């Protein structure tokens, strides 16, 4: 992860042992590290929002959407998410695609 986002190493102990941790513990660790990184980015951008652009969001997996939902819970962060998607893209034969459910939830909950 540190290779993808070098500054993330400042917020999480990259060298700590993750072997033996459950998937849930690893997920929580990632969410906490990402949240601390986002808080730092927001503080650098003040008084403007930190802008995150998620292109081709129609290909987002359940895991990506789940992580985005965690970040949306922290309303005190000044973050502007710009998500582009093509509603006609990514449809499966069953008509279900994670982003369709997510956009419906967003509109219903006024997020």
């Amino acid at each position: 992860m540190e290779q993808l986002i070098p500054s993330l190493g400042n917020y999480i102990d990259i060298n700590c042992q993750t072997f033996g941790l459950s998937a849930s513990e690893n997920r929580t660790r990632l969410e906490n590290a990402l949240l601390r990184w986002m808080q730092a980015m927001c503080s650098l951008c003040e008084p403007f929002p930190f802008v995150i652009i998620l292109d081709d969001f129609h290909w987002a997996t359940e895991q990506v959407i789940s992580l985005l939902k965690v970040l949306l819970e922290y309303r005190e962060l000044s973050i502007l998410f710009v998500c582009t998607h093509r509603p006609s893209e990514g449809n499966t034969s069953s008509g279900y695609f994670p982003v369709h459910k997510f956009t419906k939830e967003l509109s219903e909950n006024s997020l």
Side-chain angles (χ1 to χ4, degrees):
M1 183 61 87
E2 188 177 16
Q3 294 166 341
L4 296 174
I5 308 173
S7 62
L8 193 58
N10 296 328
Y11 305 97
I12 182 173
D13 181 8
I14 298 298
N15 297 317
C16 76
Q17 293 292 335
T18 58
F19 181 75
L21 294 179
S22 70
S24 174
E25 291 169 319
N26 275 321
R27 170 92 183 175
T28 299
R29 187 171 172 264
L30 172 64
E31 289 172 359
N32 289 335
L34 187 56
L35 177 61
R36 287 192 299 271
W37 182 77
M38 298 289 266
Q39 289 169 327
M41 294 297 103
C42 288
S43 68
L44 290 174
C45 294
E46 286 179 349
F48 305 103
F50 178 48
V51 179
I52 297 174
I53 300 172
L54 301 170
D55 192 26
D56 289 336
F57 198 61
H58 49 274
W59 296 117
T61 64
E62 295 261 358
Q63 293 81 8
V64 169
I65 291 172
S66 176
L67 187 58
L68 182 57
K69 285 179 181 179
V70 168
L71 295 174
L72 288 172
E73 289 177 14
Y74 294 92
R75 294 179 186 250
E76 69 275 1
L77 295 177
S78 181
I79 301 174
L80 172 63
F81 289 98
V82 178
C83 302
T84 66
H85 78 96
R86 286 175 249 147
S88 61
E89 293 278 334
N91 286 322
T92 63
S93 59
S94 67
Y96 170 77
F97 208 64
V99 73
H100 297 153
K101 180 180 173 187
F102 179 63
T103 54
K104 183 178 178 184
E105 288 175 11
L106 284 176
S107 64
E108 289 173 355
N109 296 316
S110 301
L111 293 176

Coordinates of all heavy atoms in Angstrom, one line a residue, residues 37-96:
W37 N -5.3 9.6 6.7 CA -4.7 10.3 5.5 C -5.6 11.3 4.9 O -5.2 12.4 4.6 CB -4.3 9.2 4.5 CG -3.7 9.7 3.3 CD1 -2.3 10.1 3.1 CD2 -4.3 10.0 2.0 NE1 -2.1 10.5 1.9 CE2 -3.3 10.5 1.1 CE3 -5.5 9.8 1.5 CZ2 -3.5 10.8 -0.2 CZ3 -5.8 10.1 0.2 CH2 -4.8 10.6 -0.6
M38 N -6.9 11.0 4.9 CA -7.9 11.9 4.4 C -8.0 13.2 5.3 O -8.1 14.3 4.8 CB -9.3 11.3 4.3 CG -9.3 10.1 3.3 SD -9.2 10.6 1.6 CE -10.9 10.7 1.3
Q39 N -7.9 13.0 6.6 CA -7.9 14.1 7.5 C -6.7 15.0 7.2 O -6.8 16.3 7.2 CB -7.9 13.6 8.9 CG -9.2 13.0 9.3 CD -9.2 12.3 10.7 OE1 -8.1 11.7 11.0 NE2 -10.3 12.3 11.4
A40 N -5.6 14.4 7.0 CA -4.4 15.2 6.7 C -4.5 16.0 5.4 O -4.1 17.1 5.3 CB -3.1 14.3 6.7
M41 N -5.0 15.3 4.4 CA -5.2 16.0 3.1 C -6.2 17.1 3.2 O -6.0 18.2 2.6 CB -5.7 15.0 2.0 CG -4.7 13.9 1.7 SD -3.2 14.5 0.9 CE -2.1 14.4 2.3
C42 N -7.3 16.9 4.0 CA -8.3 18.0 4.2 C -7.6 19.2 4.9 O -7.9 20.3 4.5 CB -9.5 17.5 4.9 SG -10.5 16.4 4.0
S43 N -6.8 18.9 5.8 CA -6.2 20.0 6.6 C -5.2 20.8 5.7 O -5.1 22.0 5.8 CB -5.5 19.5 7.8 OG -4.3 18.8 7.5
L44 N -4.6 20.1 4.7 CA -3.7 20.8 3.8 C -4.5 21.7 2.8 O -3.9 22.7 2.3 CB -2.9 19.8 3.0 CG -1.8 19.0 3.7 CD1 -1.2 18.0 2.9 CD2 -0.7 20.0 4.2
C45 N -5.7 21.3 2.5 CA -6.5 22.0 1.5 C -7.3 23.1 2.0 O -7.9 23.9 1.3 CB -7.5 21.0 0.8 SG -6.6 19.8 -0.2
E46 N -7.4 23.2 3.4 CA -8.2 24.3 4.0 C -7.9 25.6 3.4 O -6.7 25.9 3.2 CB -8.1 24.3 5.5 CG -8.7 23.1 6.1 CD -8.6 23.1 7.7 OE1 -7.7 23.8 8.2 OE2 -9.2 22.3 8.3
P47 N -8.8 26.5 3.2 CA -10.2 26.4 3.5 C -11.1 25.7 2.4 O -12.3 25.7 2.4 CB -10.6 27.9 3.6 CG -9.8 28.6 2.6 CD -8.5 27.8 2.6
F48 N -10.4 25.2 1.4 CA -11.1 24.5 0.2 C -11.3 23.1 0.5 O -10.5 22.4 1.3 CB -10.3 24.7 -1.0 CG -10.0 26.2 -1.3 CD1 -8.8 26.7 -1.1 CD2 -11.0 27.0 -1.8 CE1 -8.5 28.0 -1.3 CE2 -10.8 28.4 -2.0 CZ -9.5 28.9 -1.8
P49 N -12.3 22.5 -0.2 CA -12.4 21.0 0.0 C -11.4 20.2 -0.7 O -10.8 20.7 -1.7 CB -13.8 20.7 -0.6 CG -14.0 21.8 -1.5 CD -13.3 23.0 -1.0
F50 N -11.1 19.1 -0.2 CA -10.2 18.1 -0.8 C -11.1 17.4 -1.9 O -12.1 16.8 -1.6 CB -9.7 17.1 0.2 CG -8.8 16.0 -0.3 CD1 -7.8 16.3 -1.1 CD2 -9.0 14.7 0.1 CE1 -6.9 15.3 -1.6 CE2 -8.2 13.7 -0.4 CZ -7.1 14.0 -1.2
V51 N -10.6 17.4 -3.1 CA -11.4 16.9 -4.2 C -10.9 15.5 -4.6 O -9.7 15.4 -4.9 CB -11.5 17.8 -5.4 CG1 -12.3 17.2 -6.6 CG2 -12.0 19.2 -5.1
I52 N -11.8 14.6 -4.7 CA -11.4 13.2 -5.1 C -12.3 12.9 -6.3 O -13.5 12.9 -6.2 CB -11.7 12.2 -4.0 CG1 -10.8 12.5 -2.8 CG2 -11.4 10.8 -4.5 CD1 -11.0 11.6 -1.6
I53 N -11.6 12.5 -7.4 CA -12.4 12.2 -8.6 C -12.3 10.7 -8.8 O -11.2 10.1 -8.9 CB -11.8 12.9 -9.8 CG1 -11.9 14.4 -9.6 CG2 -12.5 12.5 -11.1 CD1 -11.2 15.3 -10.6
L54 N -13.4 10.0 -8.9 CA -13.5 8.6 -9.1 C -14.1 8.4 -10.5 O -15.3 8.5 -10.7 CB -14.3 7.9 -8.1 CG -13.8 8.1 -6.6 CD1 -14.8 7.6 -5.6 CD2 -12.5 7.4 -6.5
D55 N -13.3 8.1 -11.5 CA -13.7 8.0 -12.9 C -14.2 6.6 -13.1 O -13.7 5.6 -12.5 CB -12.6 8.4 -13.8 CG -13.0 8.6 -15.2 OD1 -14.2 8.9 -15.5 OD2 -12.2 8.4 -16.2
D56 N -15.1 6.4 -14.1 CA -15.6 5.1 -14.4 C -16.1 4.3 -13.2 O -15.9 3.1 -13.0 CB -14.5 4.2 -15.1 CG -14.2 4.7 -16.5 OD1 -15.1 5.4 -17.1 OD2 -13.1 4.4 -17.0
F57 N -16.9 5.1 -12.4 CA -17.4 4.5 -11.1 C -18.4 3.4 -11.4 O -18.7 2.6 -10.5 CB -18.0 5.6 -10.3 CG -18.2 5.3 -8.9 CD1 -17.1 5.0 -8.1 CD2 -19.5 5.2 -8.3 CE1 -17.3 4.7 -6.7 CE2 -19.6 4.9 -7.0 CZ -18.5 4.6 -6.2
H58 N -18.9 3.2 -12.6 CA -19.8 2.1 -12.9 C -19.1 0.8 -12.7 O -19.7 -0.3 -12.6 CB -20.4 2.2 -14.3 CG -19.4 2.5 -15.3 ND1 -19.0 3.8 -15.6 CD2 -18.7 1.7 -16.2 CE1 -18.1 3.8 -16.6 NE2 -17.9 2.5 -17.0
W59 N -17.7 0.8 -12.7 CA -17.0 -0.5 -12.5 C -16.6 -0.7 -11.0 O -15.9 -1.7 -10.7 CB -15.7 -0.5 -13.3 CG -16.0 -0.5 -14.8 CD1 -15.6 0.5 -15.7 CD2 -16.7 -1.4 -15.6 NE1 -16.1 0.2 -16.9 CE2 -16.7 -1.0 -16.9 CE3 -17.3 -2.6 -15.2 CZ2 -17.4 -1.7 -17.9 CZ3 -17.9 -3.4 -16.3 CH2 -18.0 -2.9 -17.6
A60 N -17.1 0.2 -10.2 CA -16.7 0.0 -8.7 C -17.3 -1.3 -8.2 O -18.4 -1.7 -8.5 CB -17.3 1.2 -7.9
T61 N -16.5 -1.9 -7.4 CA -16.9 -3.2 -6.7 C -17.6 -2.9 -5.4 O -17.6 -1.8 -4.9 CB -15.6 -4.1 -6.4 OG1 -14.8 -3.4 -5.5 CG2 -14.8 -4.4 -7.7
E62 N -18.2 -3.9 -4.9 CA -18.8 -3.8 -3.5 C -17.8 -3.3 -2.5 O -18.2 -2.5 -1.6 CB -19.4 -5.1 -3.1 CG -20.5 -5.7 -4.0 CD -21.9 -5.4 -3.4 OE1 -22.0 -4.8 -2.3 OE2 -22.8 -5.7 -4.1
Q63 N -16.6 -3.7 -2.6 CA -15.6 -3.4 -1.6 C -15.2 -1.9 -1.7 O -15.1 -1.2 -0.7 CB -14.3 -4.2 -1.8 CG -14.5 -5.7 -1.4 CD -15.1 -6.5 -2.5 OE1 -15.3 -6.0 -3.7 NE2 -15.5 -7.7 -2.2
V64 N -15.1 -1.4 -2.9 CA -14.8 0.0 -3.1 C -16.0 0.9 -2.6 O -15.8 1.9 -1.9 CB -14.5 0.3 -4.6 CG1 -14.5 1.8 -4.9 CG2 -13.2 -0.3 -5.1
I65 N -17.2 0.5 -2.9 CA -18.4 1.2 -2.5 C -18.5 1.2 -1.0 O -18.8 2.2 -0.3 CB -19.6 0.7 -3.2 CG1 -19.6 1.1 -4.7 CG2 -20.9 1.2 -2.5 CD1 -20.7 0.4 -5.5
S66 N -18.2 0.1 -0.4 CA -18.2 -0.1 1.1 C -17.2 0.9 1.7 O -17.5 1.5 2.7 CB -17.9 -1.5 1.5 OG -17.8 -1.6 2.9
L67 N -16.0 1.0 1.2 CA -15.0 1.9 1.7 C -15.4 3.4 1.5 O -15.3 4.2 2.4 CB -13.7 1.7 1.0 CG -12.4 2.4 1.6 CD1 -12.2 2.1 3.0 CD2 -11.2 2.1 0.7
L68 N -16.0 3.7 0.4 CA -16.5 5.0 0.2 C -17.6 5.4 1.2 O -17.7 6.5 1.7 CB -17.1 5.2 -1.2 CG -17.6 6.5 -1.6 CD1 -16.5 7.6 -1.5 CD2 -18.1 6.5 -3.1
K69 N -18.5 4.4 1.5 CA -19.5 4.6 2.5 C -18.9 5.0 3.9 O -19.5 5.8 4.6 CB -20.4 3.4 2.6 CG -21.4 3.2 1.5 CD -22.2 2.0 1.7 CE -23.2 1.7 0.6 NZ -24.0 0.5 0.7
V70 N -17.8 4.3 4.2 CA -17.2 4.6 5.5 C -16.7 6.0 5.5 O -16.9 6.8 6.5 CB -16.0 3.6 5.7 CG1 -15.1 4.1 6.9 CG2 -16.5 2.2 6.0
L71 N -16.1 6.5 4.4 CA -15.6 7.9 4.3 C -16.7 8.9 4.4 O -16.6 10.0 4.9 CB -14.8 8.1 3.1 CG -13.5 7.2 3.0 CD1 -12.8 7.4 1.7 CD2 -12.5 7.6 4.1
L72 N -17.9 8.5 3.8 CA -19.0 9.5 3.8 C -19.6 9.6 5.2 O -20.3 10.6 5.4 CB -20.1 8.9 2.8 CG -19.8 9.1 1.3 CD1 -20.9 8.4 0.5 CD2 -19.6 10.5 0.9
E73 N -19.3 8.7 6.1 CA -19.8 8.9 7.4 C -19.2 10.0 8.2 O -19.7 10.5 9.1 CB -19.6 7.6 8.2 CG -20.5 6.4 7.8 CD -20.2 5.1 8.5 OE1 -19.5 5.2 9.5 OE2 -20.7 4.1 8.0
Y74 N -18.0 10.4 7.8 CA -17.2 11.5 8.4 C -17.6 12.8 7.8 O -16.8 13.3 7.0 CB -15.7 11.2 8.4 CG -15.4 10.0 9.2 CD1 -15.4 8.7 8.7 CD2 -15.2 10.1 10.6 CE1 -15.1 7.6 9.4 CE2 -15.0 9.0 11.4 CZ -14.9 7.7 10.8 OH -14.6 6.6 11.6
R75 N -18.7 13.3 8.1 CA -19.2 14.5 7.5 C -18.4 15.8 7.9 O -18.5 16.8 7.3 CB -20.7 14.7 7.8 CG -21.5 13.7 7.1 CD -23.0 13.8 7.5 NE -23.8 12.7 7.0 CZ -24.6 12.8 6.0 NH1 -24.8 14.0 5.4 NH2 -25.3 11.8 5.5
E76 N -17.6 15.7 8.9 CA -16.8 16.8 9.3 C -15.6 17.1 8.4 O -15.0 18.1 8.4 CB -16.3 16.7 10.8 CG -15.3 15.6 11.0 CD -15.9 14.3 11.3 OE1 -17.1 14.1 11.2 OE2 -15.1 13.3 11.5
L77 N -15.3 16.1 7.6 CA -14.3 16.2 6.6 C -14.8 17.0 5.4 O -15.9 16.8 4.9 CB -13.7 14.9 6.1 CG -13.1 14.0 7.1 CD1 -12.7 12.6 6.5 CD2 -11.8 14.7 7.7
S78 N -14.0 17.9 4.9 CA -14.4 18.7 3.8 C -13.8 18.1 2.5 O -12.8 18.4 2.0 CB -13.8 20.2 3.9 OG -14.2 20.9 2.9
I79 N -14.6 17.1 2.0 CA -14.3 16.3 0.9 C -15.4 16.5 -0.2 O -16.5 16.3 0.1 CB -14.1 14.8 1.2 CG1 -13.0 14.7 2.3 CG2 -13.7 14.1 -0.1 CD1 -12.8 13.2 2.7
L80 N -15.0 16.7 -1.4 CA -15.9 16.7 -2.5 C -15.6 15.5 -3.4 O -14.5 15.4 -3.9 CB -15.7 18.0 -3.4 CG -16.5 18.0 -4.7 CD1 -18.0 17.9 -4.4 CD2 -16.2 19.3 -5.5
F81 N -16.5 14.5 -3.4 CA -16.3 13.4 -4.3 C -17.0 13.6 -5.6 O -18.2 14.0 -5.7 CB -17.0 12.1 -3.7 CG -16.2 11.6 -2.5 CD1 -16.7 11.9 -1.2 CD2 -15.1 10.8 -2.6 CE1 -16.0 11.4 -0.1 CE2 -14.5 10.3 -1.5 CZ -14.9 10.6 -0.2
V82 N -16.3 13.5 -6.7 CA -16.8 13.6 -8.0 C -16.7 12.2 -8.7 O -15.6 11.7 -8.9 CB -16.0 14.6 -8.9 CG1 -16.6 14.7 -10.3 CG2 -16.0 16.0 -8.2
C83 N -17.9 11.6 -8.8 CA -17.9 10.2 -9.4 C -18.5 10.2 -10.7 O -19.7 10.6 -10.8 CB -18.7 9.3 -8.4 SG -18.0 9.2 -6.8
T84 N -17.8 9.8 -11.7 CA -18.4 9.7 -13.1 C -18.8 8.3 -13.3 O -18.0 7.3 -13.0 CB -17.4 10.2 -14.1 OG1 -16.3 9.3 -14.2 CG2 -17.0 11.6 -13.8
H85 N -19.9 8.1 -14.0 CA -20.3 6.7 -14.4 C -21.3 6.8 -15.5 O -21.9 7.8 -15.8 CB -20.9 5.9 -13.2 CG -22.3 6.3 -12.9 ND1 -23.4 5.6 -13.3 CD2 -22.8 7.3 -12.1 CE1 -24.5 6.1 -12.9 NE2 -24.2 7.1 -12.1
R86 N -21.3 5.7 -16.3 CA -22.3 5.6 -17.4 C -23.3 4.6 -16.9 O -23.0 3.4 -16.8 CB -21.5 5.1 -18.6 CG -20.7 6.2 -19.2 CD -19.9 5.7 -20.4 NE -18.5 5.8 -19.9 CZ -17.6 4.9 -20.3 NH1 -17.8 4.0 -21.1 NH2 -16.4 5.1 -19.8
P87 N -24.5 5.0 -16.7 CA -25.6 4.1 -16.2 C -25.8 2.8 -17.1 O -26.1 1.8 -16.6 CB -26.8 4.9 -16.2 CG -26.4 6.3 -16.1 CD -25.0 6.4 -16.8
S88 N -25.5 3.0 -18.4 CA -25.7 1.9 -19.3 C -24.5 0.9 -19.3 O -24.6 -0.2 -19.8 CB -25.9 2.4 -20.7 OG -24.7 3.1 -21.1
E89 N -23.4 1.3 -18.7 CA -22.2 0.4 -18.6 C -22.3 -0.5 -17.4 O -22.8 -0.1 -16.4 CB -20.9 1.2 -18.6 CG -20.6 2.0 -19.8 CD -19.9 1.2 -20.9 OE1 -19.3 0.2 -20.6 OE2 -20.1 1.6 -22.1
G90 N -21.7 -1.6 -17.6 CA -21.5 -2.5 -16.4 C -22.7 -3.4 -16.0 O -22.6 -4.0 -15.0
N91 N -23.7 -3.3 -16.8 CA -24.9 -4.1 -16.5 C -24.6 -5.6 -16.6 O -23.9 -6.0 -17.6 CB -26.1 -3.8 -17.4 CG -26.7 -2.5 -17.0 OD1 -26.8 -2.1 -15.8 ND2 -27.1 -1.7 -18.0
T92 N -25.0 -6.4 -15.7 CA -24.9 -7.8 -15.8 C -26.2 -8.3 -16.4 O -27.2 -7.6 -16.5 CB -24.6 -8.5 -14.4 OG1 -25.7 -8.2 -13.6 CG2 -23.4 -7.9 -13.8
S93 N -26.2 -9.6 -16.7 CA -27.5 -10.2 -17.2 C -28.6 -10.1 -16.3 O -29.8 -10.0 -16.7 CB -27.2 -11.6 -17.7 OG -26.8 -12.4 -16.5
S94 N -28.3 -10.1 -15.0 CA -29.4 -10.0 -14.0 C -29.8 -8.5 -13.8 O -30.8 -8.3 -13.1 CB -28.9 -10.5 -12.6 OG -27.9 -9.7 -12.1
G95 N -29.1 -7.6 -14.4 CA -29.5 -6.2 -14.2 C -28.9 -5.5 -12.9 O -29.1 -4.4 -12.7
Y96 N -28.2 -6.3 -12.1 CA -27.7 -5.8 -10.9 C -26.2 -5.4 -11.0 O -25.4 -6.1 -11.6 CB -27.7 -6.9 -9.8 CG -27.0 -6.5 -8.5 CD1 -27.5 -5.6 -7.6 CD2 -25.7 -7.0 -8.3 CE1 -26.8 -5.2 -6.5 CE2 -25.0 -6.6 -7.2 CZ -25.6 -5.7 -6.3 OH -24.9 -5.4 -5.2

